[in-house]
Amino acid sequence: LAVSATAFTAIKWAGAAYLLWLAVGMARAAWHADKASAPAPSVPARSAWQDFRLGLVTNVLNPKVALFFLAFLPQFIRPGTTDKTSAFLLLGAAFVVQSLLFLLLVVAAVARLRRWPSSPRVARGLQGCGALLFAALALRLAATRQPVA
């Protein structure tokens, strides 16, 4: 993308348009009281194990995760290392353990926050803040200049 101005511009504008589209959808939800105050549709209950399996399959099949590991982790393996595969697997395992601990904390926090009473007014405020955030990100992305190669 740094080499092709056309590709950079096309992806930049597509990303900005998508963020703006999300912002408009969130703003509509925030300003229409009937949508914000409508009861949430019932979702069939799943066990924690089913949720865990769904998340695991989603991450294993996500090509971005594989690209991250292939692009990021090798730079932390010394060139003189005799068993690069073991070093790569050890770094990957460390990443998985750290991510698991962090996400368990996030889940515990969200489970507690979910018990708080919520009002349609709070929901509308959160939707409005989200809309402003996405609109600001879209504008910032649109103003981005192509990096010099």
Side-chain angles (χ1 to χ4, degrees):
L1 292 177
V3 177
S4 172
T6 305
F8 176 82
T9 303
I11 289 176
K12 175 181 86 167
W13 286 108
Y18 177 68
L19 288 171
L20 200 55
W21 179 72
L22 290 174
V24 168
M26 292 179 88
R28 282 186 184 155
W31 301 126
H32 293 0
D34 56 337
K35 284 186 182 179
S37 62
S42 63
V43 178
R46 291 189 307 234
S47 70
W49 176 246
Q50 288 173 318
D51 286 339
F52 177 78
R53 280 193 334 218
L54 179 64
L56 180 67
V57 168
T58 300
N59 273 304
V60 167
L61 297 178
N62 186 349
K64 292 181 285 185
V65 174
L67 288 174
F68 169 78
F69 276 98
L70 292 174
F72 186 69
L73 290 184
Q75 65 183 326
F76 295 103
I77 300 173
R78 291 189 176 132
T81 303
T82 55
D83 192 2
K84 290 182 177 22
T85 302
S86 294
F88 187 79
L89 291 174
L90 181 65
L91 286 172
F95 177 83
V96 168
V97 168
Q98 289 175 354
S99 298
L100 179 65
L101 293 174
F102 171 74
L103 291 175
L104 285 174
L105 290 174
V106 169
V107 167
V110 169
R112 285 188 157 221
L113 289 174
R114 189 168 184 202
R115 293 185 195 128
W116 282 10
S118 180
S119 69
R121 187 178 204 168
V122 170
R124 289 178 66 190
L126 289 173
Q127 288 283 345
C129 289
L132 289 174
L133 176 66
F134 279 122
L137 289 172
L139 292 173
R140 182 172 182 215
L141 181 60
T144 303
R145 298 187 186 272
Q146 182 180 11
V148 179

